[in-house]
Amino acid sequence: MASSPSLLEETMLLFFVFLLFTSCSLSAQETVHKNDSLSFSFPLTSLRRSSQASPSFYSSFISQNKKAPPLKTSSFSSSPYNYRSGFKYSMILLVSLPIGTPPQTQEMILDTGSQLSWIQCHKKVPKKPPPSSVFDPSLSSSFSVLPCNHPLCKPRIPDFTLPTSCDQNRLCHYSYFYADGTLAEGNLVREKITFSRSQSTPPLILGCAEESRDDKGILGMNLGRLSFASQAKITKFSYCVPTRQARPGLTSTGSFYLGENPNSGGFQYISLLTFSQSQRMPNLDPLAYTVAMQGIRVGNQKLNIPISAFRPGPSGAGQTMIDSGSEFTYLVDEAYNKVREEVVRLVGPKLKKGYVYGGVSDMCFDGNPIEIGRLIGNMVFEFDKGVEIVVEKERVLAEVGGGVHCVGIGRSEMLGAASNIIGNFHQQNIWVEFDLANRRVGLGKADCSRSV
């Protein structure tokens, strides 16, 4: 048996690979924008996730009882860098980021509904080919841990509702449950994200998960002051979700930008809704990307849903948010029932009777999805300023396994939520840009498997 390489040899090897990788990447795909900032493109392969009994839902707000105030626009400054990556897509949006010094590639779920970013730091490294999904802190010179006396380890920290405590080593320990039951538990740490030899973030506060039910990390991108976007002073980010591949073994790759997107000239923008301290309500997430939805069309039929169903009421119920961490779209009952009525009117006899996918969606079918999609027609989500998300009839149904296809919409009430959530299934072949400095969201049609 060959002897294991020493820590020094491993570190030198990693650093050499990084230098080789970044020099190739920079020479091939470095871009200068009009503002003279650089954009770095990192290639990324695609991976289909294993089948599940329910749709993915990684956003954390539904699992939290405490709420926090929205981030002030003035806290954003010009982005210090621009970065582009592809991401893997099956039921989650998966990006790979180079973390640490020298960098270790980490796969992270892109989640605009969460604040805390965390990486996998399991002590027992799984037996899998490199790059491993597990981060090794001992190999990074920029890694540090947060002690118990750090302000974040004290209760009632504004804008950060994560349960923290002191562990036996006097380090800041956290435990985080997501809405779909995913658990992340470990220590809060500081670490850099290294985009190139000359560009990296300052040390950011991250979770270093030693216990997790998922083998991926989370890239928290909401409006909280401790999200990745806020800590790294990102003023703009965007992604393009490719269409799902129907055949097993095939996966899709889209694009993810930090900073300027060269495609933004064709985007249509809708304003983000903001909420003052006095407007904080039990069912409202003030850190979400909240937009003003106006209505829904199915086929050529505008559904009779009052606009009030898409706006926060006195309790906060009815908020409409765009969320990359949710697979399906979720609607409050007043809206969901109208969508279901229209689907029943169009294809009622073809419904799979008594079947509810994941406990959230009862608009499912055994039959030919192409034929059923044609009968349902396009589905359109209408926003202010005439902006629309058009879901073409070929993409109205989501394959959920066993030959069953469902309309990609669930009841938010079944999640314990009182919100309308536009999930990534209905963001396919669309550029979605979050312009934080101008508090708006941009949408633009695209062929995301070919977008650059």
Side-chain angles (χ1 to χ4, degrees):
M1 180 185 296
S3 60
S4 300
S6 68
L7 178 60
L8 178 61
E9 289 172 329
E10 290 179 343
T11 305
M12 292 178 65
L13 177 60
L14 279 168
F15 188 61
F16 173 76
V17 170
F18 171 64
L19 289 178
L20 179 63
F21 171 74
T22 52
S23 62
C24 293
S25 178
L26 286 171
S27 62
Q29 302 186 54
E30 182 175 309
T31 303
V32 181
H33 295 290
K34 291 180 181 179
N35 61 0
D36 295 328
S37 59
L38 295 176
S39 177
F40 298 99
S41 174
F42 288 71
L44 193 147
T45 57
S46 188
L47 174 69
R48 182 159 182 88
R49 203 165 185 235
S50 57
S51 60
Q52 307 183 144
S54 61
S56 301
F57 193 93
Y58 279 89
S59 296
S60 60
F61 171 74
I62 309 304
S63 300
Q64 300 180 36
N65 294 321
K66 299 177 182 177
K67 311 300 182 292
L71 190 66
K72 297 178 181 178
T73 305
S74 61
S75 65
F76 291 109
S77 58
S78 298
S79 296
Y81 35 69
N82 288 277
Y83 171 84
R84 174 182 173 263
S85 172
F87 64 73
K88 305 170 184 178
Y89 173 63
S90 55
M91 287 169 281
I92 53 177
L93 308 187
L94 197 63
V95 299
S96 288
L97 290 180
I99 296 178
T101 309
Q104 303 173 46
T105 300
Q106 294 294 292
E107 293 185 328
M108 306 177 77
I109 297 166
L110 177 62
D111 186 8
T112 60
S114 292
Q115 181 169 193
L116 179 71
S117 296
W118 54 268
I119 54 179
Q120 297 286 352
C121 297
H122 294 311
K123 295 176 181 177
K124 185 177 181 181
V125 178
K127 296 179 180 179
K128 57 165 55 177
S132 170
S133 62
V134 175
F135 181 80
D136 186 345
S138 68
L139 298 180
S140 175
S141 61
S142 52
F143 179 90
S144 63
V145 295
L146 264 65
C148 282
N149 59 3
H150 190 279
L152 279 181
C153 238
K154 298 176 181 178
R156 300 188 179 278
I157 297 300
D159 219 11
F160 194 67
T161 58
L162 191 69
T164 55
S165 61
C166 277
D167 67 11
Q168 60 185 6
N169 297 316
R170 303 292 299 167
L171 300 179
C172 189
H173 183 86
Y174 74 93
S175 181
Y176 212 33
F177 271 99
Y178 290 83
D180 67 350
T182 299
L183 168 68
E185 187 174 9
N187 292 114
L188 293 183
V189 303
R190 288 186 184 274
E191 185 55 287
K192 294 181 178 181
I193 295 181
T194 307
F195 298 112
S196 71
R197 284 172 291 179
S198 61
Q199 288 187 312
S200 64
T201 68
L204 309 177
I205 294 173
L206 307 171
C208 194
E210 294 183 355
E211 295 292 337
S212 172
R213 295 175 186 170
D214 203 300
D215 61 350
K216 311 292 188 296
I218 294 283
L219 187 66
M221 297 292 285
N222 76 4
L223 290 169
R225 67 184 180 91
L226 288 170
S227 72
F228 170 76
S230 299
Q231 290 192 74
K233 293 181 167 47
I234 301 294
T235 61
K236 191 180 291 185
F237 68 93
S238 54
Y239 55 80
C240 198
V241 182
T243 55
R244 290 187 181 187
Q245 297 291 340
R247 285 183 292 171
L250 294 179
T251 50
S252 305
T253 301
S255 296
F256 173 57
Y257 275 94
L258 294 175
E260 294 295 329
N261 185 329
N263 303 281
S264 63
F267 295 173
Q268 293 180 293
Y269 288 91
I270 50 181
S271 299
L272 288 171
L273 301 183
T274 58
F275 306 95
S276 66
Q277 183 79 8
S278 62
Q279 290 176 296
R280 291 172 62 187
M281 298 164 265
N283 294 306
L284 182 76
D285 182 358
L287 304 182
Y289 295 102
T290 305
V291 293
M293 190 153 77
Q294 303 289 344
I296 299 174
R297 299 199 309 270
V298 177
N300 295 319
Q301 183 68 35
K302 174 70 177 285
L303 303 184
N304 185 24
I305 305 171
I307 289 182
S308 60
F310 305 121
R311 300 286 194 281
S315 69
Q319 177 182 18
T320 300
M321 61 186 78
I322 296 179
D323 184 7
S324 67
S326 171
E327 177 192 0
F328 274 17
T329 288
Y330 294 88
L331 299 175
V332 296
D333 278 358
E334 190 172 11
Y336 183 91
N337 290 338
K338 291 295 183 180
V339 173
R340 192 178 191 282
E341 284 177 14
E342 184 62 13
V343 170
V344 168
R345 187 183 72 82
L346 295 169
V347 288
K350 299 181 181 295
L351 279 169
K352 185 174 176 63
K353 291 179 173 58
Y355 182 87
V356 181
Y357 173 58
V360 296
S361 178
D362 58 354
M363 295 184 284
C364 300
F365 307 87
D366 281 328
N368 185 323
I370 297 176
E371 177 191 352
I372 295 168
R374 180 178 57 81
L375 292 171
I376 294 175
N378 292 352
M379 187 173 292
V380 180
F381 299 96
E382 302 172 343
F383 300 91
D384 62 347
K385 302 179 182 178
V387 179
E388 299 179 338
I389 290 179
V390 179
V391 183
E392 296 173 351
K393 54 184 177 291
E394 296 83 5
R395 294 187 288 108
V396 166
L397 298 181
E399 182 186 4
V400 299
V404 178
H405 293 77
C406 299
V407 175
I409 297 177
R411 291 183 186 271
S412 58
E413 181 185 359
M414 303 309 294
L415 283 177
S419 306
N420 302 291
I421 303 166
I422 307 298
N424 64 53
F425 181 75
H426 290 125
Q427 299 174 41
Q428 296 176 74
N429 272 355
I430 297 174
W431 276 112
V432 183
E433 179 185 81
F434 298 86
D435 184 349
L436 309 182
N438 295 303
R439 300 201 69 86
R440 61 183 187 170
V441 174
L443 302 173
K445 286 191 66 174
D447 180 350
C448 292
S449 62
R450 299 182 179 182
S451 293
V452 295

